[in-house]
Amino acid sequence: MTKADIVAKISDQTGIEKVAVQATVEAFMDSVKSSLTEGNNVYLRGFGSFIVKERAEKTGRNISKNESIIIPAHNIPAFKPAKTFIEDVKENVAVK
């Protein structure tokens, strides 16, 4: 499902114009991104949490040059689904 699909579905369900829905979805995503950039987590009860995870420093390999490289510690954005969300997916998605 793409952002355009989400906008279309919300517009159909609510009767709000697609332009207004798209502006709202964009504003939501911008708010989440700016919050995570500032180091703040975003918690949406019953859905999940957008969190900042810390990755430790580690040693990697540059295969083409056959040498070790140090990958410094860094932060990455992550999503942690709520327990009810996980259970709903487990119950309703068919295994391929």
Side-chain angles (χ1 to χ4, degrees):
M1 183 174 235
T2 65
K3 183 169 44 171
D5 295 335
I6 292 170
V7 168
K9 190 169 188 171
I10 292 172
S11 178
D12 291 342
Q13 288 177 347
T14 62
I16 300 171
E17 293 180 13
K18 287 184 181 180
V19 174
V21 173
Q22 184 169 357
T24 305
V25 170
E26 293 282 346
F28 170 77
M29 292 188 314
D30 288 342
S31 296
V32 171
K33 284 194 283 188
S34 66
S35 181
L36 293 176
T37 302
E38 295 169 2
N40 300 319
N41 296 332
V42 178
Y43 303 101
L44 301 173
R45 188 175 303 234
F47 184 71
S49 303
F50 294 94
I51 58 175
V52 177
K53 280 189 173 182
E54 293 181 26
R55 289 273 171 99
E57 181 179 281
K58 63 181 179 179
T59 304
R61 301 275 308 157
N62 182 343
I63 298 171
S64 62
K65 294 182 181 179
N66 197 23
E67 62 186 20
S68 294
I69 57 172
I70 301 295
I71 301 170
H74 58 281
N75 295 325
I76 60 163
F79 176 74
K80 182 179 178 187
K83 288 181 182 180
T84 56
F85 184 15
I86 293 171
E87 291 168 4
D88 289 346
V89 171
K90 281 183 182 178
E91 291 174 6
N92 295 320
V93 175
V95 177
K96 291 182 180 180

